[in-house]
Amino acid sequence: MAKLTLEKAKKAVGIGNLVEKTIKFRDVDGKPFEGEIYIKVLSSDEVANITDILNLKKDEKYTINQYRDAMLVQTVFEGKDKPFFPDLKSTGQVSDEMKVAMYLAADQVINFTGKYWISTKSQNSTVNSSAAESVGEPSQKQEET
């Protein structure tokens, strides 16, 4: 096992890397449309400061839409060094459905809400408890006879 350093840790979790994701939404005719985008893996400091680009005054609140737009500007890319959205205003040039699809893709990569980890843990717990129940069932049947 190699000694862990900050640089090795950042590399291991992929900070700064781009992860390709496929998003799905409806096109102008209402038909399903798929496309690939890249999501930049952010550090926890970058996630914590994601709303800094909103330039809000001290104690000024932001909406969930402003948060999502700030997140999309900083995480969604067309390719290396080419952000999908050049600025906050440009996020309004696509549909809300597309923005939600992008947000969900980014959340899978960066796990902004913690829900992805929680849902994965829940799925694993359900699988484990189901396996435990099925193992326990023969014992219960044996007791009945």
Side-chain angles (χ1 to χ4, degrees):
M1 185 179 325
K3 181 177 177 178
L4 189 61
T5 64
L6 180 58
E7 276 309 306
K8 287 180 183 177
K10 287 170 40 178
K11 187 175 181 178
V13 295
I15 301 298
N17 289 342
L18 296 178
V19 176
E20 186 173 323
K21 297 298 280 182
T22 300
I23 61 169
K24 299 176 184 181
F25 54 93
R26 289 184 309 252
D27 68 12
V28 69
D29 297 321
K31 295 178 184 171
F33 188 89
E34 290 185 11
E36 280 75 35
I37 57 173
Y38 293 94
I39 305 297
K40 181 180 178 186
V41 180
L42 301 180
S43 69
S44 62
D45 282 347
E46 290 171 314
V47 172
N49 298 314
I50 209 145
T51 57
D52 287 357
I53 69 168
L54 298 174
N55 295 320
L56 299 173
K57 295 178 180 144
K58 186 178 180 185
D59 297 327
E60 187 177 359
K61 306 252 187 236
Y62 55 86
T63 66
I64 188 68
N65 288 336
Q66 287 174 309
Y67 175 83
R68 284 184 179 161
D69 289 349
M71 185 273 307
L72 292 175
V73 168
Q74 295 173 73
T75 61
V76 180
F77 283 72
E78 290 179 12
K80 186 178 179 180
D81 299 324
K82 178 110 170 82
F84 192 92
F85 299 105
D87 54 38
L88 280 168
K89 190 172 183 171
S90 64
T91 61
Q93 297 176 8
V94 298
S95 71
D96 286 337
E97 181 184 12
M98 182 187 285
K99 289 183 356 181
V100 168
M102 289 176 166
Y103 177 83
L104 292 173
D107 191 45
Q108 285 181 341
V109 173
I110 302 167
N111 198 21
F112 291 105
T113 61
K115 290 179 184 176
Y116 186 72
W117 177 82
I118 291 168
S119 81
T120 302
K121 184 177 178 190
S122 297
Q123 288 171 356
N124 288 340
S125 294
T126 303
V127 168
N128 291 341
S129 65
S130 295
E133 288 171 8
S134 66
V135 168
E137 286 175 7
S139 298
Q140 291 171 351
K141 287 180 184 175
Q142 288 175 352
E143 289 173 11
E144 290 174 8
T145 54

